[in-house]
Amino acid sequence: MTVGATSLVSASPAAAATPPAALAPTSAQAASAASAASSASSAAAAPGWISVRYPIRARAGRVVTYKITLTNRQSRTSQKIFFAAKFPKNVYKVRIYVPKGSRYREGCTRERTRSLCLFPGLKKGKSYTLWAKAWVNGSARGTLYGYFGGSFIPNHVKDPRYVMRKAGDEIRWIKTRTRLVR
């Protein structure tokens, strides 16, 4: 199976009172799985890191799985983490899953073409691994685009839809491309 990888970083931490995108990228690089590690080393000073692994090709009518890693690169424990996955078309259901038996709970919304999640803060150098699954329509053709983004947010925020409304324009998205085949 051919897999693509995209890694993103941010340039500066967000202020504690506002929810702008601290995990949002300032640059995006599409690379093979082998070169994803080299782009990670160039972003050592960034406060947050999002890495997405995805298939290059997928069959229409099937489930496409994305592996996401959220890493805290701050010098202290982070605040809550907002994460979003959205698909503009060709998808009829999107869900985010955490590993079975993990100690953290995802507070995710269940919507048709997007999923918004809130995760507890991370200690310095720690990471979350999660999976996003997109159910593709059987009649879908062309390219399936997926968008993934996130930010550190204040601890008092409890609704991921609120964060999306307030800071959605400031989040820079990782864009993935999967070619749909019959």
Side-chain angles (χ1 to χ4, degrees):
M1 177 203 302
T2 308
V3 174
T6 302
S7 300
L8 294 175
V9 298
S10 65
S12 62
T18 61
L23 282 177
T26 58
S27 67
Q29 298 176 348
S32 69
S35 65
S38 64
S39 64
S41 64
S42 66
W49 181 273
I50 300 174
S51 174
V52 178
R53 294 180 52 91
Y54 60 97
I56 299 297
R57 289 186 309 247
R59 293 186 64 99
R62 303 281 172 94
V63 177
V64 180
T65 304
Y66 299 83
K67 183 178 179 181
I68 299 121
T69 306
L70 306 173
T71 306
N72 180 12
R73 296 211 172 174
Q74 292 181 342
S75 59
R76 60 185 177 359
T77 301
S78 71
Q79 297 180 357
K80 278 187 180 178
I81 299 172
F82 167 74
F83 178 76
K86 63 181 184 175
F87 295 85
K89 63 178 186 173
N90 297 335
V91 171
Y92 64 89
K93 184 167 72 169
V94 176
R95 298 290 184 263
I96 293 181
Y97 299 97
V98 297
K100 191 172 187 174
S102 64
R103 294 184 180 165
Y104 56 94
R105 300 259 187 242
E106 78 277 14
C108 296
T109 62
R110 304 248 174 190
E111 300 176 22
R112 184 178 173 266
T113 60
R114 70 180 186 176
S115 186
L116 311 173
C117 298
L118 291 178
F119 293 101
L122 281 170
K123 291 184 180 180
K124 174 179 137 182
K126 299 296 182 180
S127 65
Y128 286 137
T129 301
L130 48 123
W131 284 266
K133 291 189 177 187
W135 281 257
V136 181
N137 290 326
S139 61
R141 300 290 178 264
T143 304
L144 173 66
Y145 294 101
Y147 297 89
F148 302 91
S151 67
F152 293 125
I153 61 170
N155 286 328
H156 63 82
V157 177
K158 298 199 183 327
D159 185 17
R161 290 182 191 103
Y162 171 79
V163 177
M164 192 66 175
R165 279 192 309 270
K166 296 296 182 185
D169 296 338
E170 298 173 9
I171 294 174
R172 294 191 184 126
W173 299 92
I174 299 171
K175 184 178 183 180
T176 61
R177 293 174 185 89
T178 300
R179 188 172 151 246
L180 297 175
V181 296
R182 253 185 142 185

